[in-house]
């Protein structure tokens, strides 16, 4: 997978996925991300796994261009993530950030920012995440899981090419989680690149094409999902998976 | 005192035209001043809430300091500018309601700017990353913050209006307290009290208090409705 970086000219830009090279970030003298280099394929679902505080959410923020790394480069399809490039991406945060408006106004806002005028799209999106008929409710009075689903609907509104999801099913009941997983499958089939942080090993098995494994800001391995769950490349990952099996 | 109160009540209830002329002028001057101050102050407040630049801290200190502007000083400055020999003397605005609106606007714009900046900045802390993710422009960001902060900002506008309508030092200097022209509630109260005409002063005082109560009650109920919908 390293060859993405090594031979950038050998492929057309669209065949290049998301490339991180030498990403380092520290705050107050603590290293939070340490020289992370990886090349994620241009399609499919990449799962980002690792214990609490490993730097998964930070890595997503850097990759989406919300935080500038102290060192290193992020390239999406060969280009730096500019303000304009970010419009073709979307992110659902670990704690959903919903506007103090109704459910439908939250989706409308994203559509309006993207300049999309499509009257039936919003209701289709709400329907898709299981929030049909909840249009007029204040978004912030939804339950935690419903808020996450609304945040996903809003992220999908602009048909992003690259979608970052930070534990999108963390507070969802099994049925809702399955609905979300189905949506992610569909999006992947439609060609959307998805980078998904998850603690849920069975979910990662179901969804992931490849896996990034981090602890304490270090990238320990980047592997095919199948081989990661069979024989992880790093001892830490093996212990992490063993812990989940024991639980 | 009891007699004066009784007479004051009668004045209010009888719909004394002189009294109501004063009340209406007060409301007109202070509402227009609040409206203009909101337009300017909210623009400044929202811009500061989303901007980072060198010297921002100094700007905030100045605006916060301007919140405490003594009305008589504002009155004096406006007077000097509008008086016949002043730079804006040719406009002939001194001793008109417009002069009073200008003075009150200057007085409360910093209040609206400073208070709204604080509210919108707190809101922006919560929204900033999501806005960046959307690729929202700065203007779009300011508009979204103003809309989502609308219920909290209502209180800010009220604070501005309260200060404007209750203020006496600035309007007496630039308005001159001219009967039937620039006499407002506060200047009338000051004058009538000094003349010993307590009923009129008391009647105006009661109306001023009532206005404060009604406006506060209204804003409070709007806000609690908004809070229940998690919009505030
Ligand atoms: N702005 C910041 N300043 C200082 N430290 C930070 C900052 N943001 C995150 N950190 C630290 O970086 C580390 C990684 O945080 P991050 O949120 O990326 O973890 P995570 O892997 O997403 O964990 P979790 O599974 O709990 O969500 C944490 O120890 C956190 O305290
Ligand atoms: Mg996290």
């Amino acid at each position: 997978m390293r060859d993405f970086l090594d031979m950038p000219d050998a492929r057309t830009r669209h065949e290049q996925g998301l490339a991180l090279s030498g990403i380092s970030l520290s705050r107050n003298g603590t290293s939070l991300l340490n020289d992370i280099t990886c090349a994620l394929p241009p399609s499919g679902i990449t799962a980002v796994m690792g214990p609490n505080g490993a730097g998964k959410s930070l890595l997503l923020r850097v990759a989406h261009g919300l935080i500038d790394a102290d060192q290193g480069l992020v390239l999406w399809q060969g280009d730096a993530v500019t303000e304009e490039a970010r419009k073709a991406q979307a992110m659902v945060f670990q704690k959903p950030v919903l506007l103090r408006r109704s459910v439908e106004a939250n989706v409308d806002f994203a559509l309006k920012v993207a300049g999309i005028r499509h009257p039936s799209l919003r209701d289709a999106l709400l329907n898709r995440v299981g929030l049909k008929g909840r249009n007029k409710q204040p978004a912030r009075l939804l339950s935690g899981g419903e808020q996450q689903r609304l945040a996903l609907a809003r992220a999908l509104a602009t048909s992003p090419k690259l979608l970052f999801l930070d534990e999108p099913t963390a507070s969802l009941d099994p049925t809702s989680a399955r609905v979300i997983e189905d949506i992610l499958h569909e999006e992947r089939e439609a060609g959307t690149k998805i980078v998904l942080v998850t603690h849920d090993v069975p979910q990662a098995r179901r969804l992931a094409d490849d896996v990034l494994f981090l602890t304490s800001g270090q990238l320990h391995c980047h592997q095919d999902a199948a081989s990661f769950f069979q024989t992880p490349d790093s001892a830490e990952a093996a212990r992490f998976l063993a812990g989940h099996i024991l639980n | 005192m009891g007699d004066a109160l009784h007479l004051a009540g009668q004045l209010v209830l009888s719909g004394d035209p002189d009294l109501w002329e004063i009340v209406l002028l007060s409301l007109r001057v202070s509402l227009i001043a609040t409206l203009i101050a909101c337009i300017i102050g909210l623009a400044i407040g929202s811009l500061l809430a989303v901007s980072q630049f060198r010297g921002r801290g100094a700007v905030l200190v100045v605006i916060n300091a301007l919140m405490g502007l003594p009305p008589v000083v504002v009155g004096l400055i406006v007077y000097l500018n509008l008086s016949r020999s002043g730079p804006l003397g040719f406009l002939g605005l001194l001793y008109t309601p417009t002069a009073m609106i200008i003075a009150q606007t200057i007085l409360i714009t910093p209040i609206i700017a400073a208070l709204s900046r604080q509210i919108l900045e707190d809101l922006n802390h919560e929204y900033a990353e999501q806005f960046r993710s959307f690729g929202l422009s700065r203007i779009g960001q300011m508009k979204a913050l103003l809309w989502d902060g609308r219920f909290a900002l209502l209180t800010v506008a009220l604070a501005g209006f309260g200060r404007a309508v209750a203020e006496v030092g600035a309007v007496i200097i630039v308005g001159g307290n001219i009967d039937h022209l620039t006499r407002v509630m506060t200047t009338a109260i000051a004058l009538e009290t000094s003349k010993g005409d307590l009923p009129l002063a008391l009647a105006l005082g009661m109306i001023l208090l009532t206005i404060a109560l009604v406006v506060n009650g209204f804003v409070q109920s709007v806000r609690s409705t908004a809070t229940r919908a998690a919009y505030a």
Side-chain angles (χ1 to χ4, degrees):
Chain A
M1 289 191 166
R2 297 263 150 138
D3 60 358
F4 277 108
L5 277 182
D6 298 335
M7 319 186 301
D9 299 329
R11 297 156 194 276
T12 65
R13 284 174 171 265
H14 282 278
E15 285 168 341
Q16 298 173 33
L18 180 67
L20 308 183
S21 73
I23 298 291
S24 294
L25 183 74
S26 55
R27 289 280 184 274
N28 314 319
T30 320
S31 167
L32 302 176
L33 294 175
N34 191 0
D35 192 18
I36 292 182
T37 298
C38 58
L40 310 185
S43 60
I45 298 181
T46 301
V48 181
M49 305 193 78
N52 291 135
K56 304 180 297 295
S57 297
L58 276 179
L59 187 67
L60 248 57
R61 286 187 163 86
V62 170
H64 190 31
L66 298 179
I67 302 179
D68 288 329
D70 301 334
Q71 278 167 40
L73 208 61
V74 179
L75 296 178
W76 166 241
Q77 297 184 335
D79 292 315
V81 184
T82 57
E83 199 81 10
E84 204 48 43
R86 205 177 303 118
K87 288 187 177 175
Q89 309 180 359
M91 176 152 168
V92 175
F93 293 89
Q94 193 165 357
K95 270 188 274 171
V97 183
L98 297 178
L99 299 171
R100 289 160 170 73
R101 304 178 187 192
S102 67
V103 167
E104 64 177 21
N106 267 274
V107 180
D108 289 344
F109 185 81
L111 290 170
K112 193 168 164 230
V113 172
I116 299 170
R117 291 172 52 110
H118 190 321
S120 58
L121 181 58
R122 172 235 290 158
D123 289 338
L125 284 162
L126 291 178
N127 197 7
R128 202 167 168 205
V129 297
L131 289 173
K132 188 180 181 176
R134 312 288 292 272
N135 294 42
K136 302 291 179 200
Q137 284 187 17
R140 289 172 165 254
L141 292 187
L142 295 178
S143 76
E146 288 165 347
Q147 293 197 13
Q148 269 183 322
R149 284 187 273 149
L150 175 57
L152 179 64
R154 194 176 59 180
L156 293 174
T158 55
S159 312
K161 297 278 170 287
L162 173 58
L163 180 59
F164 295 100
L165 303 170
D166 199 344
E167 302 187 36
T169 59
S171 49
L172 265 53
D173 62 64
T175 316
S176 304
R178 266 331 249 265
V179 170
I180 299 303
E181 286 183 21
D182 290 344
I183 292 175
L184 298 189
H185 262 302
E186 290 160 26
E187 287 299 312
R188 169 171 165 253
E189 295 311 308
T192 309
K193 171 67 192 174
I194 297 172
V195 182
L196 168 76
V197 175
T198 180
H199 287 289
D200 183 342
V201 174
Q203 176 178 67
R205 278 180 192 270
R206 284 192 294 272
L207 292 176
D209 296 294
D210 56 326
V211 181
L212 289 175
F213 182 80
L214 278 89
T215 64
S216 328
Q218 304 271 355
L219 179 61
H220 285 281
C221 55
H222 179 198
Q223 270 180 282
D224 262 21
S227 68
F228 177 81
F229 292 112
Q230 272 296 318
T231 47
D233 274 350
S234 86
E236 282 82 359
R239 272 200 294 278
F240 179 82
L241 290 174
H244 275 278
I245 290 159
L246 289 177
N247 291 342
Chain B
M1 180 72 190
D3 275 357
L5 259 181
H6 183 71
L7 282 171
Q10 274 184 344
L11 263 179
V12 174
L13 294 176
S14 68
D16 181 70
D18 284 353
L19 179 94
W20 288 106
E21 187 185 2
I22 294 172
V23 172
L24 288 180
L25 180 66
S26 267
L27 290 179
R28 183 160 69 92
V29 166
S30 297
L31 281 175
I32 295 175
T34 305
L35 192 72
I36 300 172
C38 278
I39 293 170
I40 303 170
L42 292 179
I44 296 173
S46 57
L47 185 61
L48 283 171
V50 300
S51 306
Q52 295 297 332
F53 54 91
R54 273 171 59 103
R56 182 176 184 273
V59 172
L60 297 188
V61 168
V62 169
I63 291 184
N64 282 328
L66 289 179
M67 281 215 289
L69 270 180
V72 284
V73 174
V74 173
L76 181 61
I77 293 168
V78 175
Y79 178 88
L80 291 174
N81 278 283
L82 295 184
S83 69
R84 194 159 300 159
S85 53
L88 301 174
F90 67 93
L91 294 172
L93 289 176
L94 198 60
Y95 303 134
T96 65
T98 307
M100 308 199 302
I101 292 172
I102 293 172
Q104 290 193 349
T105 302
I106 294 174
L107 193 67
I108 64 174
T109 297
I111 298 178
I112 303 216
L115 296 181
S116 66
R117 195 273 306 169
Q118 186 63 57
I119 288 170
L120 298 174
E121 192 172 316
D122 290 347
L123 202 55
N124 194 42
H125 269 301
E126 192 189 325
Y127 286 170
E129 276 199 322
Q130 184 67 61
F131 284 164
R132 273 202 85 180
S133 176
F134 282 142
L136 194 58
S137 67
R138 185 183 304 216
I139 291 284
Q141 215 171 327
M142 287 162 61
K143 281 204 269 189
L145 288 174
L146 285 169
W147 180 251
D148 273 39
R150 60 200 181 279
F151 293 109
L153 295 175
L154 211 53
T155 316
V156 173
L158 175 64
F161 176 74
R163 175 136 161 112
V165 80
E167 171 283 323
V168 55
V171 284
I172 208 161
I173 293 178
V174 304
N177 194 25
I178 302 166
D179 205 5
H180 299 302
L181 185 61
T182 59
R183 183 161 297 172
V184 290
M185 286 191 273
T186 52
T187 56
I189 290 174
L191 177 72
E192 300 306 332
T193 306
S194 69
K195 286 198 319 201
D197 184 357
L198 291 184
L200 183 55
L202 271 172
L204 287 165
M206 280 167 11
I207 293 173
L208 202 51
L209 271 175
T210 308
I211 290 171
L213 280 174
V214 168
V215 175
N216 266 296
F218 169 74
V219 171
Q220 194 107 94
S221 75
V222 170
R223 279 207 73 171
S224 69
T225 310
T227 306
R228 255 177 278 127
Y231 285 165

